Amino acid sequence: MRILALVPGGIGDQVLFFPTLDNLKQAYPQARISVVVEPRAKGAYRVCKSVSEVLAYDFKDRNSLADWGNFLGIVREREFDLVLSLGQRWTVGLLLWLTGIPQRVGYAGSAGEMFLTQSVPLKTEQYAAEMYHDLLQGLDLSLPFSGLAINVPKSDISWAETTQQQLGIKDSGYILIHGGSSLLAQQLGIDKIYPVEKWQKVIQDMQQQQPNIPVVVVKGPEDEAWVNQLTQSCRDVKVTTPGDIGKLAAMIAAANLMVCTDSAPMHLAVAVGTYTIALFGPTAPEKLLPKNDRVIGVKSPTGKIADLSPEEILKKVWGG
C-alpha cells in the first residue's frame, strides 16, 4: 500500500502532523508513506520515523503548468492508493483529482472539497495537532490522539552531548532560550519576536535566581541578527548552533527549561517533554499547545508580543 500526505507549511506544521503519520503507520504497518512539503520544511523529517519519502513542492509559489506537470508525473508514477491533504485551496484539490489517486481525504468546507472522495469536519478551535489527526476519520480509523513524538537520531544525541561538554554545561544542566522567528513570518509581518531589552530582564533574573544554571541561546540559520544583539546585552549567555532539527531537538531534550516564542522549536520541546514556557503575541496558545502541565503558554494581553512583561514571564518560570 502506498500513502501520500500533502502538508503545506513550515517545520512546526510538519511536527504537528507527526501523530497523524505515526497512527497511519500503526494502522498500515506495511505501507510506504510519502509526504509532499514545502522545500523549507523538508528538514523536519529527520526526526520522523513513519515516513519513507519526502517530496518537495512549493504550495505558495506561483507554479507554472510545467511545474504542475512535473509534480503530477512524480505522483502518478508512484501509484498511490490514498492521499491525505491539509491543503484547502481549490488548486490543491484539483491537483489531487488530476493525480488519479482513488481515495482523497481532506476537510469539509474547503474550496477543494468537490475534488475529495472523503471529507471530515474542520474544527479549528482545537489543538492543531488534533485538528490534523481528525483526517484519519475519513479512513474510518478511530485511533486515539497520543500527542507529539519524534525520533532523534543517535548521532544527533551524541552531537548534543559533545556540545554540552564543550560549553561546560554537561553536569550543571541549562536553561535554553529560543527567541528568533522564521524569515517568512517576518516577511508576512507576523509578530513573534520578543524585544531584546525585555529578554535581557528575563535572563538577568534567571541568572540571579539560579546562578549555577547557565543560560544557553539557540542560534538558527535565520537568527544571527537577533542572537548577536542579545549576546551584546547579555554577555554571560552561551550560544549553541545546531545544524539541523535532530541536533536542535537533542539540545532541547537535555535542557532543564525551555523559554521560547511561538515557533518550530516550541513544538519540538513539546515532543521531547522538556518543561517549556512559550510566549505568544497574536497567535492563540490553546490552538498551538496541548493541555499539558509541562508546557505553559504566556499570552500578550494586547496581542502584541512586545507588550508581554518580563515580570509575567518570570512569574511562570518560578511558578508564581
Side-chain angles (χ1 to χ4, degrees), residues 138-177:
L139 303 174
D140 293 325
L141 296 177
S142 57
L143 295 168
F145 175 78
S146 56
L148 303 190
I150 58 175
N151 185 41
V152 182
K154 290 183 179 179
S155 60
D156 293 341
I157 295 173
S158 297
W159 178 90
E161 291 173 346
T162 300
T163 299
Q164 292 156 31
Q165 197 73 46
Q166 292 171 344
L167 292 175
I169 59 175
K170 179 69 174 174
D171 299 322
S172 64
Y174 54 95
I175 297 170
L176 196 62
I177 302 287

Side-chain angles (χ1 to χ4, degrees), residues 8-145:
I11 286 173
D13 294 287
Q14 311 308 314
V15 176
L16 289 167
F17 196 65
F18 285 178
T20 305
L21 294 167
D22 291 343
N23 276 168
L24 272 174
K25 192 65 175 177
Q26 181 182 342
Y28 307 108
Q30 302 305 314
R32 180 177 173 84
I33 300 176
S34 301
V35 293
V36 178
V37 304
E38 295 173 35
R40 65 191 174 105
K42 287 183 69 175
Y45 289 88
R46 183 178 180 88
V47 294
C48 180
K49 61 177 183 276
S50 297
V51 168
S52 302
E53 179 184 37
V54 182
L55 305 171
Y57 181 78
D58 196 343
F59 295 92
K60 292 184 174 62
D61 197 11
R62 295 181 178 179
N63 296 298
S64 66
L65 288 176
D67 294 327
W68 274 43
N70 289 336
F71 177 77
L72 285 172
I74 291 170
V75 172
R76 279 180 173 275
E77 71 180 9
R78 284 162 172 75
E79 298 182 339
F80 291 105
D81 299 286
L82 68 90
V83 57
L84 300 182
S85 176
L86 292 183
Q88 298 179 54
R89 297 180 181 181
W90 73 268
T91 50
V92 174
L94 175 60
L95 198 61
L96 290 181
W97 179 71
L98 291 172
T99 63
I101 299 174
Q103 195 170 5
R104 304 180 297 278
V105 180
Y107 290 114
S110 66
E113 183 181 4
M114 69 182 77
F115 300 106
L116 303 174
T117 58
Q118 288 91 19
S119 59
V120 300
L122 176 61
K123 300 177 182 178
T124 57
E125 73 283 355
Q126 63 181 327
Y127 178 37
E130 294 186 68
M131 181 181 77
Y132 296 164
H133 194 263
D134 285 347
L135 286 176
L136 297 179
Q137 296 171 12
L139 303 174
D140 293 325
L141 296 177
S142 57
L143 295 168
F145 175 78

Side-chain angles (χ1 to χ4, degrees), residues 245-256:
I245 293 299
K247 295 176 178 61
L248 173 58
M251 286 297 295
I252 294 172
N256 299 50

Side-chain angles (χ1 to χ4, degrees), residues 221-243:
E222 298 175 354
D223 300 333
E224 185 168 0
W226 180 84
V227 171
N228 288 345
Q229 189 179 359
L230 183 66
T231 52
Q232 288 174 7
S233 303
C234 305
R235 297 187 179 276
D236 292 335
V237 301
K238 301 175 185 291
V239 177
T240 182
T241 311

